[in-house]
Amino acid sequence: MEINRVIKYLISSDLIFWTGWGLITPIFAIFIVDKIQGGTVIVVGIASAIFWILKSLIRIPIGIFLDAHKGEKDDFWFLTLGLFLAALTPFGFLLATLPWHIYILQVFYAIGIGMSFSGWDAIFTRHIDKGKEATEWGADDTSVGIGAGIAGIVGGWMVSQFGFNLVFILVGILGLIGTFILFFLYKYIAPRP
């Protein structure tokens, strides 16, 4: 299956970024309950709600803004800066000790992911190979799912052996690598007409 370069870079970035997050996502609630002073199941629920609700609320306004500006440069910068912001979030978990620290970090993570998803979706949609839409969307979803699934096992093992700090550092590093890959597609991004 031949895929164009823009789609390859987007899928590669997605794979590495979400494999990193797969290291911690299945056990993040345990971190909050065990390591955060006052961390409870309710804190876990609030942290999750902050992320999902805020990410969801900012997607449409960002989409309207990006659609109002022709060309893909703005999409690229929202994608890249958003992913960078999200990649920094795990480093913040290293310093978190109280529930409000987690809440603030979830706000940054939600803003970053909301920005990056809006740009990513726009660029992927424009560059997808005609007649291969289902295959290329499937390639992205499959690679991310397998990467995050394997990472969940590895992350659980790593936390049991080395603790949360090493895993947070790896999540951040993989997030930064995923962000860096995006710069390879910059030359394929369409300027304003």
Side-chain angles (χ1 to χ4, degrees):
M1 172 178 74
E2 185 62 31
I3 299 175
N4 75 60
R5 289 181 190 207
V6 172
I7 299 299
K8 282 181 186 176
Y9 288 133
L10 289 171
I11 290 173
S12 298
S13 171
D14 237 15
L15 170 63
I16 292 170
F17 182 87
W18 291 112
T19 295
W21 277 94
L23 291 168
I24 198 64
T25 300
I27 52 179
F28 188 62
I30 296 168
F31 166 74
I32 291 175
V33 172
D34 284 357
K35 302 295 183 185
I36 299 299
Q37 182 181 349
T40 64
V41 194
I42 294 170
V43 172
V44 172
I46 293 169
S48 179
I50 288 170
F51 170 76
W52 284 105
I53 292 169
L54 181 57
K55 179 198 72 85
S56 299
L57 288 175
I58 67 172
R59 285 291 307 272
I60 291 178
I62 291 173
I64 291 168
F65 173 83
L66 293 177
D67 287 344
H69 295 84
K70 300 302 177 201
E72 291 182 319
K73 300 284 186 188
D74 55 339
D75 301 328
F76 173 81
W77 288 113
F78 266 72
L79 164 59
T80 305
L81 293 175
L83 212 58
F84 179 72
L85 181 61
L88 295 179
T89 304
F91 296 115
F93 293 139
L94 294 169
L95 306 172
T97 57
L98 298 170
W100 70 269
H101 298 157
I102 299 297
Y103 300 155
I104 295 295
L105 289 165
Q106 290 295 88
V107 167
F108 284 109
Y109 182 44
I111 292 169
I113 293 299
M115 289 173 61
S116 70
F117 277 13
S118 297
W120 193 97
D121 289 349
I123 294 170
F124 195 92
T125 300
R126 280 190 217 98
H127 288 271
I128 201 163
D129 292 304
K130 300 299 176 215
K132 296 182 182 178
E133 295 87 355
T135 302
E136 291 179 3
W137 278 108
D140 180 64
D141 191 51
T142 299
S143 65
V144 168
I146 291 171
I150 292 169
I153 297 167
V154 173
W157 175 81
M158 287 181 70
V159 167
S160 71
Q161 298 298 310
F162 309 109
F164 284 98
N165 287 352
L166 176 62
V167 175
F168 287 137
I169 291 168
L170 286 175
V171 174
I173 289 170
L174 289 171
L176 293 172
I177 291 170
T179 303
F180 177 75
I181 287 172
L182 296 172
F183 287 100
F184 290 107
L185 69 84
Y186 185 76
K187 65 182 173 184
Y188 302 103
I189 298 300
R192 290 178 186 227

